Amino acid sequence: MNTHQPIDHTGMPLAAPSGNNVDVIIVGLGPTGATAANLLGQRGISTLIVERDDTIYPRQRAIASDEDAHRVWQGLGLLEGMLKTMSSDIRVHFKHGKRTFVSMQGNESRDQGVPGTAFYHQPELERILREGIRRFPTVQVMGGVEAVALTQDANSATVTLRPVEGGPDQTVTGRYVIACDGGSSSIRKLVGIGLPGRHIEEQWFDIQLRAWYDLPPEAPLDFTFISDPKRPGVDCPCPMGYHRVEFRVNKGETVEQLQTEAGLRGLLAERGIDYDKVEIFRSWGYTFHIRQAERWRDGRVFLAGDAAHIMPPFAGQGVSSGVRDVANLCWKLDAALSSAGGSDLLESYEPERRPNVEQLTKFSLGIGGIVMLGSTLASNMRDAAFMTAAKIPLLGDWLTGIGLKPLYRLGTTGGFFTRTPVRRSLRGDFIKQPWVSVANHTPVRLDTVLGNGWTWVGFPESPIPERLAAAGVAEIKLDYASSIADHKVPAGRYVDTERILERQMRRSRVHGLLVRPDRFIFGGDRELTSADIERVASAVVPNLPLTAQAS
């Protein structure tokens, strides 16, 4: 296939791919690409990842992930290991001078069964994701090459790769390509997709320190927005001995000046940090972009993560948004590769994901607006408004909890869901993830038994429709907690002891839900039509055994 020896994420030589044809080519091995590789590997899909760098980028660019990403990583069998080096007890503060005008808890997850927020050291996160790829013999990684050309036809796409350090070009062909190669994506440019939006001229400056305190993973982490018109910024203790401080670059200042010893001393002094008592690991300047690709697909090429959308950093949603993208896309690629009806699913990728990205972009801009008010008068009025609101019953709970963050629902216009929704339909919502009890009294998280395919989750009055069962849809049989005497759970059944699923279904007056492989609800029992059932049956890929998820 080539003369350039593939390199895996640790710099160890890999055996050359056995041929120049794979099912999926992933370009880019950041968190989005590495998550996609794990998702495809879990499904046994032949995958080649190409990455310009041979080693993990050492700078801590992103620091946060949320419940949506955590639930994906949980399904990959990686979250438990990640949490050992993450901080997941997060408190977020907005501070002006000595006044903290609002504080929020970051561990709520809207009953998804995983931490609502976690902070990490990005190189360590990427290491765990890349180690996860090793489990899957169908996935191979090639480092030290960049994509320089792409052609495609009705059946495949061919990417031309050029060794970064010189050497002959080589080609690899895949049925599909996922561009996870960041905001300057070469793949996006090669297929001619524009990235309209705007550039925020205001410049910011980051300093990454070796921390001067001990912060074990189980310790609470206090993330602070410095909401001062004189110099807004961020202060964030991080896991693994790091601390990150961010500052707006004020008029008359330059990044070059701030990176001198005098500049660094002055900035750190503003936060009460003694330059002589810390180790400065890295510092850099950056500006913000707000952009979305004109379209997220070109034939057999799909954009994901920053290649498809770039949002301001205030809400910490960059990595999680990329994970959401590939979690939505990869099971659909599996269906397109494996079933006659699966190709129609691919049309739903962008319509389902784009609305959430647009919401989160507005949310992030809103947080930035709170932090970066330009006058002392406006800042004092903001402080008073938030402090008053936090004291009002219900409103205060909403404000200091997860209420401000948009609920992750998929776009249903153009999405793959039932076409006849009832009032208060749950289509496009996550199925919640409670603890469920089984026959041996051991509680397990719902996703442990959901597997990675289509699943019918229903109470006794709503068994799985025969056509879905025949197509290979799995079934989870629920019993009501109130109907189980002496906590004896019948074999083959599960009890929602917290009644979380019971309450979720009651909202829509249904007793059974058809759940997609990505944990989103296709529809409830009282809204499914025979046409809906046939659409799903034609796109079903049989569930892999649960042991294959983490083998």
Side-chain angles (χ1 to χ4, degrees):
M1 169 190 167
N2 60 69
T3 58
H4 182 74
Q5 188 176 37
I7 302 292
D8 80 357
H9 51 277
T10 61
M12 299 290 289
L14 279 171
S18 57
N20 65 346
N21 292 308
V22 292
D23 286 328
V24 179
I25 302 167
I26 299 172
V27 181
L29 191 51
T32 300
T35 299
N38 277 278
L39 288 164
L40 296 172
Q42 186 184 64
R43 294 175 174 277
I45 295 171
S46 64
T47 304
L48 176 66
I49 314 166
V50 296
E51 165 60 42
R52 191 180 192 281
D53 299 319
D54 287 338
T55 57
I56 294 172
Y57 190 68
R59 197 176 84 191
Q60 186 186 32
R61 292 169 289 186
I63 58 173
S65 50
D66 69 7
E67 67 274 14
D68 303 331
H70 298 160
R71 195 165 177 184
V72 175
W73 292 332
Q74 176 196 18
L76 289 169
L78 298 176
L79 181 61
E80 184 176 350
M82 290 176 173
L83 289 174
K84 293 177 181 178
T85 60
M86 288 176 162
S87 293
S88 57
D89 185 358
I90 309 296
R91 298 173 297 204
V92 179
H93 310 286
F94 289 78
K95 188 174 181 179
H96 176 200
K98 296 183 179 181
R99 177 195 302 144
T100 298
F101 58 88
V102 68
S103 293
M104 304 172 180
Q105 287 294 326
N107 19 5
E108 293 185 39
S109 68
R110 293 182 169 124
D111 293 323
Q112 288 208 55
V114 290
T117 305
F119 279 50
Y120 49 76
H121 182 53
Q122 184 174 343
E124 178 64 12
L125 174 76
E126 293 193 29
R127 183 194 66 79
I128 294 171
L129 285 167
R130 295 181 185 201
E131 286 293 334
I133 296 169
R134 289 180 177 272
R135 301 171 295 172
F136 306 115
T138 59
V139 182
Q140 298 183 29
V141 182
M142 180 184 295
V145 294
E146 55 187 349
V148 295
L150 185 147
T151 60
Q152 56 180 318
D153 56 30
N155 299 310
S156 64
T158 298
V159 180
T160 300
L161 305 174
R162 180 166 298 163
V164 174
E165 296 183 358
D169 290 352
Q170 52 207 278
T171 61
V172 62
T173 299
R175 300 274 299 279
Y176 297 99
V177 174
I178 309 177
C180 303
D181 50 345
S184 59
S185 170
S186 60
I187 296 296
R188 187 189 63 239
K189 294 172 184 174
L190 288 170
V191 296
I193 298 177
L195 188 69
R198 58 193 176 100
H199 169 72
I200 307 299
E201 294 294 337
E202 187 172 67
Q203 196 161 38
W204 280 57
F205 186 72
D206 266 24
I207 306 174
Q208 187 177 6
L209 307 172
R210 296 286 192 183
W212 58 98
Y213 50 79
D214 181 24
L215 184 70
E218 65 274 13
L221 186 151
D222 291 284
F223 177 92
T224 304
F225 285 106
I226 309 299
S227 309
D228 192 324
K230 295 179 181 178
R231 191 189 299 274
V234 167
D235 190 287
C236 180
C238 296
M240 300 187 66
Y242 292 94
H243 190 108
R244 186 160 164 180
V245 284
E246 303 183 17
F247 307 81
R248 185 187 64 194
V249 178
N250 286 335
K251 291 182 179 180
E253 297 176 334
T254 67
V255 170
E256 290 74 21
Q257 291 170 342
L258 296 177
Q259 283 184 314
T260 64
E261 180 179 332
L264 293 168
R265 280 184 180 276
L267 286 178
L268 292 177
E270 291 182 16
R271 301 286 174 84
I273 301 171
D274 188 338
Y275 174 89
D276 294 317
K277 294 182 179 179
V278 298
E279 176 189 353
I280 295 179
F281 186 54
R282 292 177 182 275
S283 64
W284 63 94
Y286 67 95
T287 54
F288 305 150
H289 299 269
I290 306 168
R291 300 184 184 278
Q292 280 207 45
E294 294 169 335
R295 59 188 189 281
W296 295 12
R297 179 184 184 182
D298 184 88
R300 292 183 168 267
V301 177
F302 295 85
L303 310 182
D306 285 356
H309 42 74
I310 303 172
M311 62 182 69
F314 298 107
Q317 288 295 307
V319 165
S320 295
S321 290
V323 172
R324 293 185 194 100
D325 289 346
V326 294
N328 185 284
L329 177 62
C330 286
W331 71 270
K332 296 176 180 179
L333 289 173
D334 188 16
L337 291 163
S338 307
S339 61
S343 59
D344 291 343
L345 274 169
L346 297 176
E347 294 295 330
S348 67
Y349 167 54
E350 180 181 344
E352 289 182 0
R353 282 290 303 127
R354 188 184 280 268
N356 176 251
V357 170
E358 292 174 343
Q359 286 181 322
L360 287 173
T361 298
K362 293 177 182 178
F363 173 56
S364 186
L365 284 170
I367 293 177
I370 294 171
V371 173
M372 297 192 298
L373 289 179
S375 73
T376 301
L377 176 60
S379 297
N380 288 337
M381 293 175 64
R382 170 205 61 200
D383 299 354
F386 272 92
M387 294 171 71
T388 300
K391 296 176 182 178
I392 299 174
L394 298 181
L395 176 60
D397 292 340
W398 177 84
L399 180 64
T400 59
I402 199 174
L404 284 172
K405 181 185 175 186
L407 174 67
Y408 182 21
R409 302 191 77 242
L410 293 178
T412 54
T413 301
F416 194 78
F417 303 103
T418 175
R419 291 172 175 167
T420 56
V422 297
R423 185 171 177 268
R424 294 185 178 180
S425 173
L426 294 173
R427 67 173 190 161
D429 284 2
F430 263 124
I431 186 170
K432 297 183 183 297
Q433 188 189 192
W435 292 100
V436 292
S437 293
V438 295
N440 63 2
H441 302 289
T442 303
V444 296
R445 283 293 184 189
L446 178 67
D447 284 7
T448 305
V449 292
L450 272 179
N452 65 354
W454 287 87
T455 308
W456 181 267
V457 181
F459 286 100
E461 56 266 62
S462 186
I464 185 172
E466 292 182 3
R467 177 69 181 97
L468 293 178
V473 175
E475 182 180 18
I476 292 179
K477 299 177 179 179
L478 296 175
D479 274 324
Y480 295 102
S482 58
S483 67
I484 303 300
D486 301 320
H487 304 289
K488 293 181 179 179
V489 182
R493 304 191 74 87
Y494 301 87
V495 176
D496 172 23
T497 53
E498 301 171 284
R499 298 187 174 182
I500 289 174
L501 292 176
E502 183 179 341
R503 288 194 295 271
Q504 185 179 24
M505 292 192 198
R506 187 183 303 139
R507 171 193 163 199
S508 191
R509 290 186 290 172
V510 299
H511 299 95
L513 298 171
L514 180 55
V515 182
R516 309 185 331 173
D518 57 359
R519 315 310 194 210
F520 281 91
I521 296 166
F522 177 87
D525 53 8
R526 72 187 184 98
E527 59 192 338
L528 293 180
T529 66
S530 58
D532 288 329
I533 290 173
E534 283 304 318
R535 288 170 62 223
V536 171
S538 68
V540 167
V541 178
N543 246 333
L544 291 174
L546 285 176
T547 53
Q549 294 189 45
S551 60

